Amino acid sequence: MQNTTDNIYILVFLAMGGTFLLVASFIFFSIRNQNRLLKQRQQFQQAQIAHQKELLKAVIESQEAERKRIGQDLHDDVGTTASGLRLLIEMFKPTGGEDKNHQDFKQSSKTIIDKIVKDVRNISHNLSPTTLRYYGLIAAVTEHCTIINQSGKLEISLTNNAERELDQLHLNTATALYRVLEELLNNTIKHSGASKANIGLVTDTQNLHITYADNGKGLPTDTETVKKGMGMQNIESRLLNINATYSLEPYSGKGFRIKIECPLN
């Protein structure tokens, strides 16, 4: 009788042990399978992000190439034609001799043509700034700020504490940062009602830090609403393409402020 009872206990113990091992094995394989699925999902998402970044890079490079082509066409064709027209007006002399009306007409025509040439040159520069390609980011930004300062639309101060590091930036990175600052300045002039803007550049061992601020009306406190705007979407796309990040300080009525962090390598 005792042996029978012992055998029953042994069988129960073995059954419980087997059940435990079965449940433990099921849990183990379920967790491993979930981890494998999670890893596959993460790899798929990373591949999607990488693909999207490649597409974004291709779109931006295509836009810059088209900007360069249009800018050169404007400068070479329209600018040259306008200059030629000015020369013809200067050389033209009526058969009856020049009178005051003719002189006034000639002077007015030359003034208008000079303005057209200047506007074409500025548009060409904005589309494809040669200063950026040949002299780097800070020279191009300085030139752009000088043009705006001279126009009287906005007073811009530029503080650069990263001269050497900026000289080493890849052209694609420099172009993206230039376009971002250009977009920020355009937004300030068109929408903020600001009279002053400040741009600061500084580096640490790994990153370039850019701070942009104006004294305008500021942004809504809802940053998600701000990010849905076309201007901020363009900025975000260009920064994403160079692995840069940004943060906003949307204090309504206290001006606008954005901080950008871009890897130097």
Side-chain angles (χ1 to χ4, degrees):
M1 184 67 179
Q2 182 65 35
N3 290 335
T4 303
T5 303
D6 291 342
N7 290 336
I8 292 174
Y9 284 145
I10 292 172
L11 290 174
V12 171
F13 177 77
L14 290 174
M16 291 177 62
T19 303
F20 174 78
L21 289 174
L22 182 63
V23 172
S25 299
F26 176 77
I27 293 174
F28 171 76
F29 285 111
S30 295
I31 293 175
R32 190 174 71 170
N33 187 52
Q34 288 178 353
N35 289 337
R36 185 170 64 251
L37 291 175
L38 179 61
K39 186 176 181 180
Q40 290 175 346
R41 188 179 297 113
Q42 290 174 341
Q43 290 175 342
F44 178 72
Q45 290 174 344
Q46 290 173 353
Q48 278 189 318
I49 293 172
H51 180 63
Q52 289 173 351
K53 288 187 70 174
E54 287 298 321
L55 289 177
L56 178 61
K57 180 180 178 181
V59 169
I60 291 176
E61 289 179 351
S62 176
Q63 288 177 343
E64 289 300 327
E66 187 67 8
R67 281 172 175 261
K68 182 179 179 181
R69 184 190 66 79
I70 295 174
Q72 288 179 339
D73 288 347
L74 279 173
H75 182 272
D76 296 341
D77 296 339
V78 180
T80 302
T81 301
S83 297
L85 179 60
R86 188 186 192 284
L87 181 61
L88 287 175
I89 292 175
E90 180 68 31
M91 294 173 60
F92 175 74
K93 293 182 180 180
T95 55
E98 292 190 4
D99 56 16
K100 187 177 184 305
N101 289 334
H102 178 265
Q103 291 175 351
D104 291 343
F105 169 77
K106 180 187 288 188
Q107 185 59 44
S108 298
S109 299
K110 289 191 294 184
T111 300
I112 293 172
I113 292 173
D114 288 343
K115 184 179 184 304
I116 292 173
V117 171
K118 182 180 179 181
D119 290 344
V120 167
R121 187 181 297 115
N122 288 337
I123 293 171
S124 175
H125 167 79
N126 289 334
L127 286 171
S128 180
T130 55
T131 305
L132 179 64
R133 293 199 303 273
Y134 295 113
Y135 300 104
L137 176 63
I138 193 61
V141 173
T142 300
E143 183 180 48
H144 190 63
C145 291
T146 300
I147 293 173
I148 295 176
N149 282 334
Q150 290 175 347
S151 72
K153 296 178 180 178
L154 188 68
E155 181 183 338
I156 309 168
S157 63
L158 175 63
T159 304
N160 175 31
N161 294 316
E163 189 75 41
R164 294 181 180 178
E165 290 81 357
L166 290 179
D167 291 339
Q168 300 172 6
L169 281 180
H170 190 278
L171 180 59
N172 287 345
T173 301
T175 300
L177 294 174
Y178 176 83
R179 294 300 183 195
V180 167
L181 290 173
E182 184 181 49
E183 183 73 36
L184 290 170
L185 287 168
N186 286 339
N187 287 344
T188 293
I189 293 171
K190 292 180 180 179
H191 306 299
S192 74
S195 59
K196 295 181 179 180
N198 300 295
I199 302 173
L201 301 95
V202 66
T203 58
D204 55 28
T205 56
Q206 295 181 328
N207 297 300
L208 167 65
H209 301 273
I210 300 176
T211 302
Y212 178 91
D214 65 38
N215 64 345
K217 62 185 179 182
L219 295 174
T221 54
D222 182 7
T223 56
E224 292 304 316
T225 301
V226 176
K227 291 181 179 181
K228 290 179 182 178
M230 184 61 68
M232 287 308 303
Q233 287 183 4
N234 290 337
I235 290 172
E236 192 170 286
S237 296
R238 290 188 177 276
L239 293 178
L240 175 64
N241 189 47
I242 58 173
N243 297 318
T245 59
Y246 74 96
S247 60
L248 296 174
E249 296 184 4
Y251 298 110
S252 181
K254 297 181 181 179
F256 168 79
R257 185 179 178 89
I258 182 173
K259 294 181 179 179
I260 299 169
E261 184 176 290
C262 176
L264 287 172
N265 56 352

